[in-house]
Amino acid sequence: MEAADISHHTSRRYNQDLERVRSKVLAMGGFVEDQLSRSLMALIDADSSLGRAVADDDYKVNGMELSIDEECSRILATRAPAAGDLRMVVATIKAITDLERIGDECEKVGLIAARLATVERPADRYREVKHLGRRVQMLVHDTLDAFARLDANAALETCRKDRLVDEQYEAIQRQCIAEMMQDARSIRRSLDVMWVVRSLERMGDHAKNICEYVIYMVHGKDVRHTSLDHVERELAESAIRRG
């Protein structure tokens, strides 16, 4: 299935309905990307007002989810989509749930950033958290790009990158525990940092979920509980059969 497969119907209106949904999902994704960037900026720059602003804007993400969900429900009720179109609508409903949850995690990071802005920053100015944040930003961006292009191979490659997020998350957790053991005065700040990196790790998981929905849209395969190596083999075999 290619992007064109969901954009050619005898009904021009149906065509417009599907495109409008895709556009809304990408707009929601763009807003969530901005929320992620701003929440990290609030942490690194010790900007409490920016952190609170990110948290206050979470209602906008929720509103986008509700709007897209209603649009998808209307399409299901009035258009009775089949095959690739049905997969697209179902996957979209799932994807916006994960985007909304990324938004929730951004809200958490924003609130913690606002609190951390009132305490002394560590000498490294949260360098490791910043690196993890950049990795998650790239993961979310690549996920949305794969969704926009309906690129299953790019989605699979992005899924693999989530492992690096997990590894870096675990390393920062160990570092925070070591700091708390060495200096009791750092406990509060280290606990907050642990919550931040936990939120970032969860964002990576949600991005991975969306990539799995992209593979489902394109190939009709539910790969949520399948190893990435197995998925890669199946996609390669499918490409050979089509070729």
Side-chain angles (χ1 to χ4, degrees):
M1 174 181 150
E2 301 294 338
D5 294 338
I6 63 170
S7 60
H8 291 293
H9 299 279
T10 54
S11 169
R12 180 181 177 186
R13 203 129 188 210
Y14 184 16
N15 202 27
Q16 292 173 339
D17 287 345
L18 294 173
E19 271 308 311
R20 184 166 56 250
V21 166
R22 281 167 52 83
S23 295
K24 284 187 174 183
V25 172
L26 294 176
M28 180 181 180
F31 187 81
V32 168
E33 275 194 279
D34 185 60
Q35 287 288 83
L36 173 53
S37 176
R38 292 167 69 217
S39 67
L40 290 169
M41 190 181 303
L43 175 69
I44 304 305
D45 294 343
D47 190 335
S48 59
S49 60
L50 179 58
R52 287 192 294 269
V54 171
D56 290 343
D57 281 347
D58 184 60
Y59 78 94
K60 296 179 182 179
V61 179
N62 298 338
M64 291 177 187
E65 182 196 18
L66 291 175
S67 174
I68 297 169
D69 190 63
E70 289 174 4
E71 189 86 10
C72 288
S73 296
R74 186 182 64 78
I75 291 174
L76 288 172
T78 62
R79 300 295 185 184
D85 293 337
L86 178 60
R87 294 201 302 272
M88 178 211 162
V89 175
V90 170
T92 294
I93 293 172
K94 293 177 180 291
I96 60 175
T97 297
D98 280 288
L99 282 175
E100 189 274 334
R101 288 175 180 168
I102 292 176
D104 287 344
E105 298 299 338
C106 290
E107 178 186 18
K108 293 176 187 176
V109 174
L111 290 172
I112 295 172
R115 184 164 64 242
L116 284 172
T118 65
V119 302
E120 183 181 358
R121 283 186 289 176
D124 65 2
R125 293 177 178 265
Y126 306 110
R127 183 180 63 250
E128 295 302 322
V129 179
K130 184 178 180 180
H131 290 167
L132 176 60
R134 284 178 175 170
R135 191 179 294 280
V136 173
Q137 283 179 290
M138 290 177 60
L139 193 66
V140 172
H141 179 79
D142 291 346
T143 294
L144 292 169
D145 184 62
F147 184 95
R149 296 188 291 112
L150 292 178
D151 189 333
N153 291 323
L156 178 61
E157 183 61 30
T158 302
C159 281
R160 291 191 181 281
K161 294 176 184 177
D162 183 53
R163 293 176 179 174
L164 300 176
V165 171
D166 294 340
E167 291 171 2
Q168 196 167 353
Y169 157 70
E170 291 170 1
I172 296 174
Q173 290 279 59
R174 290 193 296 270
Q175 180 181 329
C176 287
I177 292 171
E179 288 175 357
M180 287 188 289
M181 292 175 66
Q182 292 173 5
D183 184 0
R185 293 172 300 178
S186 71
I187 290 177
R188 179 60 187 274
R189 185 182 64 203
S190 294
L191 286 173
D192 279 337
V193 170
M194 289 173 75
W195 280 114
V196 167
V197 296
R198 174 59 176 164
S199 285
L200 290 171
E201 189 270 340
R202 290 297 297 142
M203 292 182 209
D205 288 344
H206 291 304
K208 180 182 177 182
N209 290 345
I210 296 171
C211 286
E212 291 172 347
Y213 306 146
V214 171
I215 295 171
Y216 169 70
M217 278 194 288
V218 177
H219 294 285
K221 295 182 182 295
D222 188 339
V223 299
R224 287 176 293 177
H225 304 293
T226 308
S227 73
L228 294 180
D229 289 339
H230 182 71
V231 173
E232 187 172 30
R233 285 196 300 271
E234 285 200 346
L235 295 187
E237 290 170 1
S238 177
I240 292 172
R241 287 194 296 271
R242 288 199 307 271

